[in-house]
């Protein structure tokens, strides 16, 4: 770098840190032992619960309620309203950031 008087400057920094992570990092790898497994387990649970909800709701609406094909999705009106709710939420946040008056959609 160039100093105040146009002369080159040289800096040297020594950093020491305690790298003891309480055994969270295995000696053979560079990632925490259970972190990646936990994430995949949670994704698997989410997928399983979603499949059970939609599959079970579809079959229930079909067999028990006798709903037509377009009406078999559980809570169809709610799921169709999600895009509007997301748009409304972004509009709300945008109005708050810009400190404007918020008008619901």
């Amino acid at each position: 770098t160039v100093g105040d008087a146009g002369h080159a400057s040289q800096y040297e920094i020594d950093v020491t840190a305690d790298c003891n992570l309480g055994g969270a990092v295995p000696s053979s790898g560079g990632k925490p032992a259970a972190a990646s497994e936990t994430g995949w387990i949670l994704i698997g649970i989410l997928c399983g619960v979603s499949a059970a909800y939609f599959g079970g709701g579809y079959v229930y609406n079909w067999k028990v309620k006798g709903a037509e094909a377009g009406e078999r999705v559980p809570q169809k009106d709610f799921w169709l309203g999600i895009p509007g709710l997301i748009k409304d939420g972004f509009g709300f946040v945008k109005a708050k950031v810009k400190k404007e008056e918020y008008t619901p959609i």
Side-chain angles (χ1 to χ4, degrees), residues 42-52:
L42 291 175
I43 289 173
I45 290 170
L46 177 66
C47 289
V49 168
S50 296

Side-chain angles (χ1 to χ4, degrees), residues 12-37:
E12 184 175 326
I13 300 174
D14 291 326
V15 178
T16 57
D18 182 15
C19 294
N20 182 6
L21 299 175
V25 178
S27 60
S28 62
K31 61 183 177 181
S36 63
E37 294 173 15

Side-chain angles (χ1 to χ4, degrees), residues 77-93:
D77 294 334
F78 169 77
W79 294 111
L80 290 176
I82 291 279
L85 293 171
I86 292 171
K87 183 178 179 183
D88 197 33
F90 274 103
F92 176 79
V93 171

Side-chain angles (χ1 to χ4, degrees), residues 62-74:
W62 176 28
K63 295 292 185 178
V64 175
K65 291 188 172 182
E68 296 296 322
E71 298 298 319
R72 292 180 187 162
V73 175

